PDB file of all heavy atoms in Angstrom:
ATOM      1  N   ALA A1515      -8.461   7.656 -20.465  1.00  0.00           N
ATOM      2  CA  ALA A1515      -8.084   6.644 -19.485  1.00  0.00           C
ATOM      3  C   ALA A1515      -9.175   5.605 -19.337  1.00  0.00           C
ATOM      4  O   ALA A1515      -8.888   4.396 -19.244  1.00  0.00           O
ATOM      5  CB  ALA A1515      -7.800   7.330 -18.142  1.00  0.00           C
ATOM      6  N   LEU A1516     -10.419   6.041 -19.291  1.00  0.00           N
ATOM      7  CA  LEU A1516     -11.530   5.113 -19.165  1.00  0.00           C
ATOM      8  C   LEU A1516     -11.649   4.209 -20.427  1.00  0.00           C
ATOM      9  O   LEU A1516     -11.980   3.011 -20.332  1.00  0.00           O
ATOM     10  CB  LEU A1516     -12.847   5.887 -18.991  1.00  0.00           C
ATOM     11  CG  LEU A1516     -12.986   6.580 -17.605  1.00  0.00           C
ATOM     12  CD1 LEU A1516     -14.260   7.427 -17.567  1.00  0.00           C
ATOM     13  CD2 LEU A1516     -12.955   5.622 -16.466  1.00  0.00           C
ATOM     14  N   LEU A1517     -11.408   4.830 -21.580  1.00  0.00           N
ATOM     15  CA  LEU A1517     -11.479   4.055 -22.824  1.00  0.00           C
ATOM     16  C   LEU A1517     -10.344   3.059 -22.950  1.00  0.00           C
ATOM     17  O   LEU A1517     -10.473   1.993 -23.609  1.00  0.00           O
ATOM     18  CB  LEU A1517     -11.438   5.004 -24.031  1.00  0.00           C
ATOM     19  CG  LEU A1517     -12.657   5.940 -24.219  1.00  0.00           C
ATOM     20  CD1 LEU A1517     -12.434   6.918 -25.350  1.00  0.00           C
ATOM     21  CD2 LEU A1517     -13.928   5.104 -24.445  1.00  0.00           C
ATOM     22  N   ALA A1518      -9.219   3.358 -22.261  1.00  0.00           N
ATOM     23  CA  ALA A1518      -8.054   2.463 -22.366  1.00  0.00           C
ATOM     24  C   ALA A1518      -8.264   1.157 -21.569  1.00  0.00           C
ATOM     25  O   ALA A1518      -7.655   0.123 -21.903  1.00  0.00           O
ATOM     26  CB  ALA A1518      -6.821   3.169 -21.826  1.00  0.00           C
ATOM     27  N   VAL A1519      -9.136   1.167 -20.573  1.00  0.00           N
ATOM     28  CA  VAL A1519      -9.364  -0.020 -19.756  1.00  0.00           C
ATOM     29  C   VAL A1519      -9.840  -1.196 -20.548  1.00  0.00           C
ATOM     30  O   VAL A1519      -9.250  -2.285 -20.503  1.00  0.00           O
ATOM     31  CB  VAL A1519     -10.315   0.314 -18.552  1.00  0.00           C
ATOM     32  CG1 VAL A1519     -10.643  -0.972 -17.786  1.00  0.00           C
ATOM     33  CG2 VAL A1519      -9.670   1.319 -17.599  1.00  0.00           C
ATOM     34  N   PRO A1520     -10.936  -1.080 -21.350  1.00  0.00           N
ATOM     35  CA  PRO A1520     -11.374  -2.217 -22.135  1.00  0.00           C
ATOM     36  C   PRO A1520     -10.353  -2.646 -23.184  1.00  0.00           C
ATOM     37  O   PRO A1520     -10.269  -3.838 -23.522  1.00  0.00           O
ATOM     38  CB  PRO A1520     -12.699  -1.733 -22.785  1.00  0.00           C
ATOM     39  CG  PRO A1520     -12.659  -0.225 -22.714  1.00  0.00           C
ATOM     40  CD  PRO A1520     -11.896   0.060 -21.503  1.00  0.00           C
ATOM     41  N   VAL A1521      -9.591  -1.708 -23.691  1.00  0.00           N
ATOM     42  CA  VAL A1521      -8.547  -2.031 -24.680  1.00  0.00           C
ATOM     43  C   VAL A1521      -7.510  -2.920 -24.025  1.00  0.00           C
ATOM     44  O   VAL A1521      -7.072  -3.930 -24.613  1.00  0.00           O
ATOM     45  CB  VAL A1521      -7.944  -0.755 -25.279  1.00  0.00           C
ATOM     46  CG1 VAL A1521      -6.756  -1.118 -26.181  1.00  0.00           C
ATOM     47  CG2 VAL A1521      -8.947   0.056 -26.041  1.00  0.00           C
ATOM     48  N   LEU A1522      -7.049  -2.516 -22.856  1.00  0.00           N
ATOM     49  CA  LEU A1522      -6.048  -3.323 -22.131  1.00  0.00           C
ATOM     50  C   LEU A1522      -6.545  -4.720 -21.790  1.00  0.00           C
ATOM     51  O   LEU A1522      -5.800  -5.670 -21.795  1.00  0.00           O
ATOM     52  CB  LEU A1522      -5.620  -2.562 -20.855  1.00  0.00           C
ATOM     53  CG  LEU A1522      -4.814  -1.250 -21.076  1.00  0.00           C
ATOM     54  CD1 LEU A1522      -4.634  -0.569 -19.716  1.00  0.00           C
ATOM     55  CD2 LEU A1522      -3.434  -1.597 -21.674  1.00  0.00           C
ATOM     56  N   ILE A1523      -7.842  -4.791 -21.466  1.00  0.00           N
ATOM     57  CA  ILE A1523      -8.418  -6.108 -21.115  1.00  0.00           C
ATOM     58  C   ILE A1523      -8.450  -6.975 -22.377  1.00  0.00           C
ATOM     59  O   ILE A1523      -8.112  -8.163 -22.340  1.00  0.00           O
ATOM     60  CB  ILE A1523      -9.843  -5.918 -20.577  1.00  0.00           C
ATOM     61  CG1 ILE A1523      -9.787  -5.232 -19.175  1.00  0.00           C
ATOM     62  CG2 ILE A1523     -10.570  -7.262 -20.447  1.00  0.00           C
ATOM     63  CD1 ILE A1523     -11.155  -4.903 -18.633  1.00  0.00           C
ATOM     64  N   ALA A1524      -8.850  -6.374 -23.501  1.00  0.00           N
ATOM     65  CA  ALA A1524      -8.970  -7.148 -24.730  1.00  0.00           C
ATOM     66  C   ALA A1524      -7.604  -7.581 -25.313  1.00  0.00           C
ATOM     67  O   ALA A1524      -7.524  -8.581 -26.041  1.00  0.00           O
ATOM     68  CB  ALA A1524      -9.709  -6.327 -25.775  1.00  0.00           C
ATOM     69  N   MET A1525      -6.517  -6.892 -24.927  1.00  0.00           N
ATOM     70  CA  MET A1525      -5.194  -7.183 -25.480  1.00  0.00           C
ATOM     71  C   MET A1525      -4.642  -8.498 -24.979  1.00  0.00           C
ATOM     72  O   MET A1525      -3.815  -9.092 -25.619  1.00  0.00           O
ATOM     73  CB  MET A1525      -4.215  -6.057 -25.117  1.00  0.00           C
ATOM     74  CG  MET A1525      -4.383  -4.774 -25.961  1.00  0.00           C
ATOM     75  SD  MET A1525      -3.364  -3.403 -25.386  1.00  0.00           S
ATOM     76  CE  MET A1525      -1.697  -4.147 -25.542  1.00  0.00           C
ATOM     77  N   GLU A1526      -5.072  -8.909 -23.768  1.00  0.00           N
ATOM     78  CA  GLU A1526      -4.560 -10.130 -23.183  1.00  0.00           C
ATOM     79  C   GLU A1526      -5.717 -11.124 -23.002  1.00  0.00           C
ATOM     80  O   GLU A1526      -6.700 -10.846 -22.268  1.00  0.00           O
ATOM     81  CB  GLU A1526      -3.894  -9.833 -21.832  1.00  0.00           C
ATOM     82  CG  GLU A1526      -2.638  -9.030 -21.904  1.00  0.00           C
ATOM     83  CD  GLU A1526      -1.471  -9.874 -22.457  1.00  0.00           C
ATOM     84  OE1 GLU A1526      -1.599 -11.093 -22.523  1.00  0.00           O
ATOM     85  OE2 GLU A1526      -0.457  -9.261 -22.804  1.00  0.00           O
ATOM     86  N   PRO A1527      -5.590 -12.329 -23.550  1.00  0.00           N
ATOM     87  CA  PRO A1527      -6.639 -13.324 -23.427  1.00  0.00           C
ATOM     88  C   PRO A1527      -7.017 -13.676 -21.987  1.00  0.00           C
ATOM     89  O   PRO A1527      -8.208 -13.890 -21.657  1.00  0.00           O
ATOM     90  CB  PRO A1527      -6.079 -14.570 -24.144  1.00  0.00           C
ATOM     91  CG  PRO A1527      -5.068 -13.977 -25.112  1.00  0.00           C
ATOM     92  CD  PRO A1527      -4.505 -12.786 -24.422  1.00  0.00           C
ATOM     93  N   TYR A1528      -5.962 -13.723 -21.090  1.00  0.00           N
ATOM     94  CA  TYR A1528      -6.264 -14.129 -19.723  1.00  0.00           C
ATOM     95  C   TYR A1528      -7.122 -13.089 -18.995  1.00  0.00           C
ATOM     96  O   TYR A1528      -7.909 -13.469 -18.078  1.00  0.00           O
ATOM     97  CB  TYR A1528      -4.953 -14.386 -18.952  1.00  0.00           C
ATOM     98  CG  TYR A1528      -4.245 -13.164 -18.443  1.00  0.00           C
ATOM     99  CD1 TYR A1528      -4.537 -12.673 -17.128  1.00  0.00           C
ATOM    100  CD2 TYR A1528      -3.308 -12.499 -19.175  1.00  0.00           C
ATOM    101  CE1 TYR A1528      -3.896 -11.546 -16.674  1.00  0.00           C
ATOM    102  CE2 TYR A1528      -2.667 -11.378 -18.720  1.00  0.00           C
ATOM    103  CZ  TYR A1528      -2.923 -10.923 -17.455  1.00  0.00           C
ATOM    104  OH  TYR A1528      -2.297  -9.785 -16.983  1.00  0.00           O
ATOM    105  N   ARG A1529      -7.040 -11.835 -19.412  1.00  0.00           N
ATOM    106  CA  ARG A1529      -7.886 -10.798 -18.818  1.00  0.00           C
ATOM    107  C   ARG A1529      -9.343 -10.937 -19.225  1.00  0.00           C
ATOM    108  O   ARG A1529     -10.242 -10.784 -18.441  1.00  0.00           O
ATOM    109  CB  ARG A1529      -7.361  -9.411 -19.203  1.00  0.00           C
ATOM    110  CG  ARG A1529      -6.032  -9.082 -18.549  1.00  0.00           C
ATOM    111  CD  ARG A1529      -5.542  -7.711 -18.948  1.00  0.00           C
ATOM    112  NE  ARG A1529      -4.143  -7.501 -18.559  1.00  0.00           N
ATOM    113  CZ  ARG A1529      -3.204  -6.867 -19.266  1.00  0.00           C
ATOM    114  NH1 ARG A1529      -3.531  -6.302 -20.394  1.00  0.00           N
ATOM    115  NH2 ARG A1529      -1.991  -6.728 -18.802  1.00  0.00           N
ATOM    116  N   LEU A1530      -9.539 -11.333 -20.505  1.00  0.00           N
ATOM    117  CA  LEU A1530     -10.880 -11.622 -20.973  1.00  0.00           C
ATOM    118  C   LEU A1530     -11.502 -12.800 -20.225  1.00  0.00           C
ATOM    119  O   LEU A1530     -12.687 -12.819 -19.872  1.00  0.00           O
ATOM    120  CB  LEU A1530     -10.902 -11.875 -22.502  1.00  0.00           C
ATOM    121  CG  LEU A1530     -10.777 -10.653 -23.379  1.00  0.00           C
ATOM    122  CD1 LEU A1530     -10.618 -11.065 -24.829  1.00  0.00           C
ATOM    123  CD2 LEU A1530     -11.976  -9.755 -23.225  1.00  0.00           C
ATOM    124  N   LYS A1531     -10.663 -13.807 -19.980  1.00  0.00           N
ATOM    125  CA  LYS A1531     -11.145 -14.996 -19.255  1.00  0.00           C
ATOM    126  C   LYS A1531     -11.552 -14.599 -17.803  1.00  0.00           C
ATOM    127  O   LYS A1531     -12.522 -15.130 -17.285  1.00  0.00           O
ATOM    128  CB  LYS A1531     -10.052 -16.082 -19.195  1.00  0.00           C
ATOM    129  CG  LYS A1531      -9.790 -16.728 -20.574  1.00  0.00           C
ATOM    130  CD  LYS A1531      -8.735 -17.809 -20.479  1.00  0.00           C
ATOM    131  CE  LYS A1531      -8.476 -18.459 -21.825  1.00  0.00           C
ATOM    132  NZ  LYS A1531      -7.364 -19.467 -21.703  1.00  0.00           N
ATOM    133  N   ARG A1532     -10.767 -13.717 -17.190  1.00  0.00           N
ATOM    134  CA  ARG A1532     -11.124 -13.226 -15.853  1.00  0.00           C
ATOM    135  C   ARG A1532     -12.459 -12.484 -15.886  1.00  0.00           C
ATOM    136  O   ARG A1532     -13.241 -12.583 -14.945  1.00  0.00           O
ATOM    137  CB  ARG A1532      -9.983 -12.362 -15.299  1.00  0.00           C
ATOM    138  CG  ARG A1532      -8.755 -13.104 -14.845  1.00  0.00           C
ATOM    139  CD  ARG A1532      -7.777 -12.156 -14.181  1.00  0.00           C
ATOM    140  NE  ARG A1532      -6.653 -12.871 -13.620  1.00  0.00           N
ATOM    141  CZ  ARG A1532      -5.691 -12.274 -12.922  1.00  0.00           C
ATOM    142  NH1 ARG A1532      -5.726 -10.946 -12.708  1.00  0.00           N
ATOM    143  NH2 ARG A1532      -4.679 -12.985 -12.457  1.00  0.00           N
ATOM    144  N   LEU A1533     -12.645 -11.716 -16.958  1.00  0.00           N
ATOM    145  CA  LEU A1533     -13.886 -10.952 -17.025  1.00  0.00           C
ATOM    146  C   LEU A1533     -15.059 -11.897 -17.186  1.00  0.00           C
ATOM    147  O   LEU A1533     -16.093 -11.723 -16.524  1.00  0.00           O
ATOM    148  CB  LEU A1533     -13.842 -10.011 -18.263  1.00  0.00           C
ATOM    149  CG  LEU A1533     -15.059  -9.133 -18.468  1.00  0.00           C
ATOM    150  CD1 LEU A1533     -15.332  -8.257 -17.268  1.00  0.00           C
ATOM    151  CD2 LEU A1533     -14.890  -8.270 -19.740  1.00  0.00           C
ATOM    152  N   TYR A1534     -14.929 -12.940 -18.014  1.00  0.00           N
ATOM    153  CA  TYR A1534     -15.986 -13.887 -18.200  1.00  0.00           C
ATOM    154  C   TYR A1534     -16.243 -14.673 -16.896  1.00  0.00           C
ATOM    155  O   TYR A1534     -17.391 -14.974 -16.537  1.00  0.00           O
ATOM    156  CB  TYR A1534     -15.630 -14.916 -19.308  1.00  0.00           C
ATOM    157  CG  TYR A1534     -15.490 -14.277 -20.673  1.00  0.00           C
ATOM    158  CD1 TYR A1534     -14.594 -14.779 -21.591  1.00  0.00           C
ATOM    159  CD2 TYR A1534     -16.307 -13.238 -21.044  1.00  0.00           C
ATOM    160  CE1 TYR A1534     -14.462 -14.252 -22.867  1.00  0.00           C
ATOM    161  CE2 TYR A1534     -16.191 -12.622 -22.314  1.00  0.00           C
ATOM    162  CZ  TYR A1534     -15.245 -13.181 -23.220  1.00  0.00           C
ATOM    163  OH  TYR A1534     -15.133 -12.601 -24.460  1.00  0.00           O
ATOM    164  N   ALA A1535     -15.162 -14.961 -16.157  1.00  0.00           N
ATOM    165  CA  ALA A1535     -15.271 -15.649 -14.853  1.00  0.00           C
ATOM    166  C   ALA A1535     -16.008 -14.767 -13.846  1.00  0.00           C
ATOM    167  O   ALA A1535     -16.755 -15.308 -13.004  1.00  0.00           O
ATOM    168  CB  ALA A1535     -13.891 -16.008 -14.331  1.00  0.00           C
ATOM    169  N   PHE A1536     -15.822 -13.505 -13.938  1.00  0.00           N
ATOM    170  CA  PHE A1536     -16.547 -12.591 -13.028  1.00  0.00           C
ATOM    171  C   PHE A1536     -18.022 -12.552 -13.326  1.00  0.00           C
ATOM    172  O   PHE A1536     -18.875 -12.584 -12.433  1.00  0.00           O
ATOM    173  CB  PHE A1536     -15.950 -11.169 -13.159  1.00  0.00           C
ATOM    174  CG  PHE A1536     -16.802 -10.057 -12.602  1.00  0.00           C
ATOM    175  CD1 PHE A1536     -17.048  -9.946 -11.250  1.00  0.00           C
ATOM    176  CD2 PHE A1536     -17.488  -9.201 -13.452  1.00  0.00           C
ATOM    177  CE1 PHE A1536     -17.858  -8.981 -10.727  1.00  0.00           C
ATOM    178  CE2 PHE A1536     -18.309  -8.183 -12.974  1.00  0.00           C
ATOM    179  CZ  PHE A1536     -18.480  -8.081 -11.581  1.00  0.00           C
ATOM    180  N   ILE A1537     -18.363 -12.549 -14.619  1.00  0.00           N
ATOM    181  CA  ILE A1537     -19.748 -12.518 -15.036  1.00  0.00           C
ATOM    182  C   ILE A1537     -20.454 -13.830 -14.636  1.00  0.00           C
ATOM    183  O   ILE A1537     -21.577 -13.809 -14.117  1.00  0.00           O
ATOM    184  CB  ILE A1537     -19.859 -12.279 -16.541  1.00  0.00           C
ATOM    185  CG1 ILE A1537     -19.293 -10.905 -16.914  1.00  0.00           C
ATOM    186  CG2 ILE A1537     -21.301 -12.413 -17.047  1.00  0.00           C
ATOM    187  CD1 ILE A1537     -19.110 -10.690 -18.398  1.00  0.00           C
ATOM    188  N   ASP A1538     -19.793 -14.945 -14.843  1.00  0.00           N
ATOM    189  CA  ASP A1538     -20.406 -16.266 -14.523  1.00  0.00           C
ATOM    190  C   ASP A1538     -19.255 -17.193 -14.068  1.00  0.00           C
ATOM    191  O   ASP A1538     -18.781 -17.995 -14.858  1.00  0.00           O
ATOM    192  CB  ASP A1538     -21.128 -16.805 -15.705  1.00  0.00           C
ATOM    193  CG  ASP A1538     -21.864 -18.136 -15.354  1.00  0.00           C
ATOM    194  OD1 ASP A1538     -21.954 -18.450 -14.135  1.00  0.00           O
ATOM    195  OD2 ASP A1538     -22.355 -18.824 -16.288  1.00  0.00           O
ATOM    196  N   PRO A1539     -18.847 -17.111 -12.792  1.00  0.00           N
ATOM    197  CA  PRO A1539     -17.721 -17.924 -12.292  1.00  0.00           C
ATOM    198  C   PRO A1539     -17.960 -19.424 -12.412  1.00  0.00           C
ATOM    199  O   PRO A1539     -17.046 -20.213 -12.574  1.00  0.00           O
ATOM    200  CB  PRO A1539     -17.562 -17.459 -10.864  1.00  0.00           C
ATOM    201  CG  PRO A1539     -18.834 -16.857 -10.509  1.00  0.00           C
ATOM    202  CD  PRO A1539     -19.409 -16.254 -11.718  1.00  0.00           C
ATOM    203  N   ARG A1540     -19.249 -19.829 -12.322  1.00  0.00           N
ATOM    204  CA  ARG A1540     -19.568 -21.283 -12.355  1.00  0.00           C
ATOM    205  C   ARG A1540     -19.516 -21.874 -13.741  1.00  0.00           C
ATOM    206  O   ARG A1540     -19.643 -23.082 -13.912  1.00  0.00           O
ATOM    207  CB  ARG A1540     -20.919 -21.549 -11.682  1.00  0.00           C
ATOM    208  CG  ARG A1540     -20.936 -21.101 -10.225  1.00  0.00           C
ATOM    209  CD  ARG A1540     -22.152 -21.595  -9.470  1.00  0.00           C
ATOM    210  NE  ARG A1540     -22.109 -21.091  -8.106  1.00  0.00           N
ATOM    211  CZ  ARG A1540     -21.443 -21.631  -7.118  1.00  0.00           C
ATOM    212  NH1 ARG A1540     -20.713 -22.743  -7.352  1.00  0.00           N
ATOM    213  NH2 ARG A1540     -21.472 -21.109  -5.908  1.00  0.00           N
ATOM    214  N   ALA A1541     -19.331 -20.998 -14.730  1.00  0.00           N
ATOM    215  CA  ALA A1541     -19.164 -21.489 -16.095  1.00  0.00           C
ATOM    216  C   ALA A1541     -17.818 -22.180 -16.261  1.00  0.00           C
ATOM    217  O   ALA A1541     -17.659 -23.018 -17.172  1.00  0.00           O
ATOM    218  CB  ALA A1541     -19.310 -20.351 -17.099  1.00  0.00           C
ATOM    219  N   SER A1542     -16.832 -21.770 -15.435  1.00  0.00           N
ATOM    220  CA  SER A1542     -15.520 -22.438 -15.450  1.00  0.00           C
ATOM    221  C   SER A1542     -15.065 -22.673 -14.010  1.00  0.00           C
ATOM    222  O   SER A1542     -14.068 -22.047 -13.559  1.00  0.00           O
ATOM    223  CB  SER A1542     -14.495 -21.564 -16.209  1.00  0.00           C
ATOM    224  OG  SER A1542     -14.435 -20.272 -15.615  1.00  0.00           O
ATOM    225  N   PRO A1543     -15.764 -23.593 -13.312  1.00  0.00           N
ATOM    226  CA  PRO A1543     -15.461 -23.784 -11.871  1.00  0.00           C
ATOM    227  C   PRO A1543     -14.084 -24.357 -11.586  1.00  0.00           C
ATOM    228  O   PRO A1543     -13.569 -24.199 -10.490  1.00  0.00           O
ATOM    229  CB  PRO A1543     -16.535 -24.773 -11.441  1.00  0.00           C
ATOM    230  CG  PRO A1543     -16.941 -25.517 -12.696  1.00  0.00           C
ATOM    231  CD  PRO A1543     -16.792 -24.482 -13.802  1.00  0.00           C
ATOM    232  N   GLN A1544     -13.460 -25.015 -12.579  1.00  0.00           N
ATOM    233  CA  GLN A1544     -12.120 -25.518 -12.415  1.00  0.00           C
ATOM    234  C   GLN A1544     -11.045 -24.636 -13.135  1.00  0.00           C
ATOM    235  O   GLN A1544      -9.866 -24.969 -13.096  1.00  0.00           O
ATOM    236  CB  GLN A1544     -12.014 -26.932 -12.932  1.00  0.00           C
ATOM    237  CG  GLN A1544     -12.914 -27.952 -12.232  1.00  0.00           C
ATOM    238  CD  GLN A1544     -12.542 -28.052 -10.735  1.00  0.00           C
ATOM    239  OE1 GLN A1544     -11.377 -28.090 -10.420  1.00  0.00           O
ATOM    240  NE2 GLN A1544     -13.573 -28.153  -9.921  1.00  0.00           N
ATOM    241  N   GLY A1545     -11.535 -23.569 -13.755  1.00  0.00           N
ATOM    242  CA  GLY A1545     -10.617 -22.666 -14.455  1.00  0.00           C
ATOM    243  C   GLY A1545     -10.544 -21.274 -13.848  1.00  0.00           C
ATOM    244  O   GLY A1545     -10.240 -21.151 -12.688  1.00  0.00           O
ATOM    245  N   GLU A1546     -10.880 -20.273 -14.682  1.00  0.00           N
ATOM    246  CA  GLU A1546     -10.764 -18.894 -14.186  1.00  0.00           C
ATOM    247  C   GLU A1546     -11.764 -18.530 -13.067  1.00  0.00           C
ATOM    248  O   GLU A1546     -11.515 -17.654 -12.299  1.00  0.00           O
ATOM    249  CB  GLU A1546     -10.978 -17.938 -15.380  1.00  0.00           C
ATOM    250  CG  GLU A1546      -9.870 -17.951 -16.431  1.00  0.00           C
ATOM    251  CD  GLU A1546      -8.533 -17.502 -15.834  1.00  0.00           C
ATOM    252  OE1 GLU A1546      -8.544 -16.587 -14.973  1.00  0.00           O
ATOM    253  OE2 GLU A1546      -7.515 -18.021 -16.266  1.00  0.00           O
ATOM    254  N   GLY A1547     -12.847 -19.294 -13.013  1.00  0.00           N
ATOM    255  CA  GLY A1547     -13.824 -19.005 -11.947  1.00  0.00           C
ATOM    256  C   GLY A1547     -13.532 -19.681 -10.619  1.00  0.00           C
ATOM    257  O   GLY A1547     -14.202 -19.383  -9.651  1.00  0.00           O
ATOM    258  N   TYR A1548     -12.510 -20.527 -10.614  1.00  0.00           N
ATOM    259  CA  TYR A1548     -12.210 -21.323  -9.416  1.00  0.00           C
ATOM    260  C   TYR A1548     -11.889 -20.448  -8.186  1.00  0.00           C
ATOM    261  O   TYR A1548     -12.455 -20.618  -7.118  1.00  0.00           O
ATOM    262  CB  TYR A1548     -11.046 -22.249  -9.705  1.00  0.00           C
ATOM    263  CG  TYR A1548     -10.627 -23.062  -8.515  1.00  0.00           C
ATOM    264  CD1 TYR A1548     -11.336 -24.220  -8.155  1.00  0.00           C
ATOM    265  CD2 TYR A1548      -9.517 -22.709  -7.755  1.00  0.00           C
ATOM    266  CE1 TYR A1548     -10.949 -24.965  -7.027  1.00  0.00           C
ATOM    267  CE2 TYR A1548      -9.131 -23.442  -6.632  1.00  0.00           C
ATOM    268  CZ  TYR A1548      -9.842 -24.577  -6.280  1.00  0.00           C
ATOM    269  OH  TYR A1548      -9.484 -25.307  -5.205  1.00  0.00           O
ATOM    270  N   GLN A1549     -11.011 -19.481  -8.374  1.00  0.00           N
ATOM    271  CA  GLN A1549     -10.539 -18.651  -7.251  1.00  0.00           C
ATOM    272  C   GLN A1549     -11.701 -17.867  -6.620  1.00  0.00           C
ATOM    273  O   GLN A1549     -11.849 -17.785  -5.377  1.00  0.00           O
ATOM    274  CB  GLN A1549      -9.445 -17.721  -7.702  1.00  0.00           C
ATOM    275  CG  GLN A1549      -8.731 -17.021  -6.580  1.00  0.00           C
ATOM    276  CD  GLN A1549      -7.536 -16.225  -7.049  1.00  0.00           C
ATOM    277  OE1 GLN A1549      -7.564 -15.590  -8.096  1.00  0.00           O
ATOM    278  NE2 GLN A1549      -6.455 -16.218  -6.303  1.00  0.00           N
ATOM    279  N   LEU A1550     -12.525 -17.254  -7.460  1.00  0.00           N
ATOM    280  CA  LEU A1550     -13.640 -16.477  -6.936  1.00  0.00           C
ATOM    281  C   LEU A1550     -14.647 -17.350  -6.228  1.00  0.00           C
ATOM    282  O   LEU A1550     -15.137 -16.996  -5.170  1.00  0.00           O
ATOM    283  CB  LEU A1550     -14.305 -15.724  -8.096  1.00  0.00           C
ATOM    284  CG  LEU A1550     -15.537 -14.875  -7.723  1.00  0.00           C
ATOM    285  CD1 LEU A1550     -15.187 -13.878  -6.633  1.00  0.00           C
ATOM    286  CD2 LEU A1550     -16.101 -14.136  -8.937  1.00  0.00           C
ATOM    287  N   ILE A1551     -14.909 -18.542  -6.737  1.00  0.00           N
ATOM    288  CA  ILE A1551     -15.821 -19.460  -6.116  1.00  0.00           C
ATOM    289  C   ILE A1551     -15.314 -19.867  -4.722  1.00  0.00           C
ATOM    290  O   ILE A1551     -16.069 -19.877  -3.754  1.00  0.00           O
ATOM    291  CB  ILE A1551     -16.043 -20.717  -7.004  1.00  0.00           C
ATOM    292  CG1 ILE A1551     -16.850 -20.331  -8.253  1.00  0.00           C
ATOM    293  CG2 ILE A1551     -16.793 -21.804  -6.228  1.00  0.00           C
ATOM    294  CD1 ILE A1551     -16.947 -21.474  -9.269  1.00  0.00           C
TER     295      ILE A1551
END
Side-chain angles (χ1 to χ4, degrees):
L1516 292 174
L1517 293 174
V1519 173
V1521 174
L1522 290 172
I1523 293 174
M1525 284 174 60
E1526 291 288 347
Y1528 80 91
R1529 292 178 190 144
L1530 283 173
K1531 289 180 180 179
R1532 284 186 175 184
L1533 181 60
Y1534 296 147
F1536 163 71
I1537 296 171
D1538 185 10
R1540 298 190 183 279
S1542 56
Q1544 297 299 319
E1546 291 296 326
Y1548 177 80
Q1549 191 173 39
L1550 178 56
I1551 292 172

